[in-house]
Amino acid sequence: MARRLIAPVTALLGAIALGGCGASADGRLDAQANDPTPVCRVHQKQPPGSRYTAGTEADTAAVLQMLRYYTANGAKAFCDGRPPTGTDRRWTDLYTELGGRTPAAKR
C-alpha cells in the first residue's frame, strides 16, 4: 500500500515545486521605485506577467501602477539612449490595450 502512495505524492510535490518556480518568473514592471520622478526610463527585463494580463483576475493595484508609470514616463527616453526592446514594446502595447495613449517615446 505504501508503494502505491509514493508515485502520487512525488508527482504532487513536483507540481508544487514547479508551480512555485513559475510564479517567480511572472514578469513585474520595473517602475523605478527608487526615483519617483525619473528623467529617463530603464529597459524592462521581463514581459508583462499575469498580474497585469489576467483580465478580471489581474492585480488591480499592479495594473494601476503600470498605467500611472507609463502615463507619467512613457514618452521619456531610455537612460542608455537605445531604442525600446521587444520586451519594452510588449509593456507599451499592454498600456495602450488598457486604454493608455501611445507615448511618443524619445530615443
Side-chain angles (χ1 to χ4, degrees):
M1 176 115 176
R3 287 187 177 186
R4 281 195 263 167
L5 290 175
I6 292 174
V9 170
T10 302
L12 178 61
L13 291 175
I16 291 170
L18 289 175
C21 293
S24 65
D26 196 22
R28 290 182 185 259
L29 174 72
D30 180 354
Q32 297 172 263
N34 294 333
D35 187 355
T37 55
V39 296
C40 59
R41 291 188 293 156
V42 295
H43 292 284
Q44 296 301 313
K45 294 181 176 136
Q46 301 175 340
S50 63
R51 71 180 44 83
Y52 307 96
T53 61
T56 60
E57 299 298 315
D59 179 340
T60 303
V63 171
L64 290 173
Q65 177 193 31
M66 184 271 300
L67 291 170
R68 182 203 152 291
Y69 175 78
Y70 275 94
T71 298
N73 303 300
K76 293 179 181 175
F78 287 97
C79 298
D80 65 3
R82 294 185 180 186
T85 64
T87 301
D88 296 321
R89 284 189 200 96
R90 287 179 67 186
W91 282 101
T92 303
D93 290 347
L94 176 61
Y95 172 71
T96 57
E97 287 170 18
L98 294 173
R101 293 185 181 217
T102 304
K106 300 173 187 170
R107 294 192 187 233

